[in-house]
Amino acid sequence: MDSDDSLKSFFAVHPKLDCLHVHLLDPASPSSAEASTLRDAARSAPCEVLECASTSENWVCLRCFHVACSRYVNGHMAVHVQSVHNGMCVAVSMADLSVYCYECDEYIQTLNKTVLNALNILHKTKFDGAPHVFASSALETQEKKSSNSILKDSTIESFAEYVKENNCRKIVVLTGAGLSTSAGIPDFRSPGTGLYYNLEKYRLPSPDQPITSSNRMNPKPFFVLAKELYPGNFCPTLSHYFIKMLAKKNMLLRNFTQNIDTLERIAKIDDELLVEAHGSFSSASCVGGLQQIVADDGEVSVVHHSPCGAKFSQEWVKIRVFADEIPKCPACEHGIVKPDITFFGEAMPARFRERVFDLEEADAVIVMGSSLKVFPFASLPALAPKKVPRLLINREIVGDFDQTDLKGKGPAVDHTESTGEPPVRDAIYLGTCDDGCLLLAELLGFKQELEQLYANERASFLANKQREPDDEDLLKSFSSLNV
């Protein structure tokens, strides 16, 4: 039997089950005084209209708890309809405890807590303490669910309230390319602006060409892309400094990032708090290479040169990339020097594998700016304990967040024990990372501090950038090198 059938089974005449007006009732009702009025009504309190004083066929208005007989109740409820748009015009009959909505103009049945509490009080008073079967059962179920609640609803406000009330100190933040787009770095998938969309601009043979480990015969496409994304050209965003603020307030356990732009490092997020899941430009290594050899008879063979293990600085590689040169290893002469970025098909960095279990210790999880399509990173949100709330700040719903109730009308409840279904513990903010982080900072009480930090650090970054050598200077530096 579904929920609609279970509701209807209590009535000879099937009531309306989707009345919207009951949600306008005061959720704090009935108060102790209003409960006393209900008890008096159940004991045959007289009609309060004029001098009627009738004690039969009376109704109780659940907006103001006025008692009126069937002769005058319509007029009383009409006043509410006229004075309040979509008026809270619901009343209970003392004769049979049926509920009527004068806006719907129908008998109704509902799981609204105010109505259920009123029915239970009336029934107990009329029938020597016996609870209303349906109302008491529904209230008991709601109470059980409430005790298992993680968030009150699926809003960012509820997530912030949870973080404050539970003094969260082990927040894990998972970030993707959307975190850096406001810095001017394009993501991969956005129509019109993403790197994949603008593939023709980069003259790359295929979308995965710059991030595959199998094409060392022609590595130029990767370095064309690398020049566009190279660190030092971009200032961290407000969202990066939001993560910095979490760290400053000892609320951050770890920041896992898919990004290779090193903006977290520029924002001075401590290395110990950072896991660059796909590597970064901060260092580089000889990865070996492929060499074509043409024999005297014209036969072409390919020789594979293994990595020699030599390490290089970010600046060493940058000089060559900006000179439109493919960095060659001076130690072995044949290897290509590549930033320590994880390509598709390559093993994740050791630090990622070592720290992935941080999700099991998290007391809250924030996912920002990721499509959650690249594994194993995309699996990280699911590793958090089922009782840990998760917040998605993104332009669209991704991953398993698509199961979240965005209406926010009911509690986000763990149903596991009663229904076997997985818990619903997610909040969602649809918008830019910067807007979501600014709102969350406000809700957590450090918006002004974040804005000041961002303004100061941005001004410092721009001032330092003016003093840095430009591309022409880098080219001159390269031309003076003998390697």
Side-chain angles (χ1 to χ4, degrees), residues 346-366:
E346 293 183 333
M348 299 294 279
R351 179 162 171 78
F352 176 85
R353 300 192 300 271
E354 293 165 359
R355 299 261 51 108
V356 70
F357 298 106
D358 288 339
L359 272 298
E360 297 178 2
E361 297 183 30
D363 53 18
V365 175
I366 302 174

Side-chain angles (χ1 to χ4, degrees), residues 328-345:
K328 293 293 184 66
C329 178
C332 67
E333 297 184 351
H334 297 294
I336 297 168
V337 177
K338 177 184 76 67
D340 291 331
I341 296 166
T342 302
F343 287 173
F344 285 136

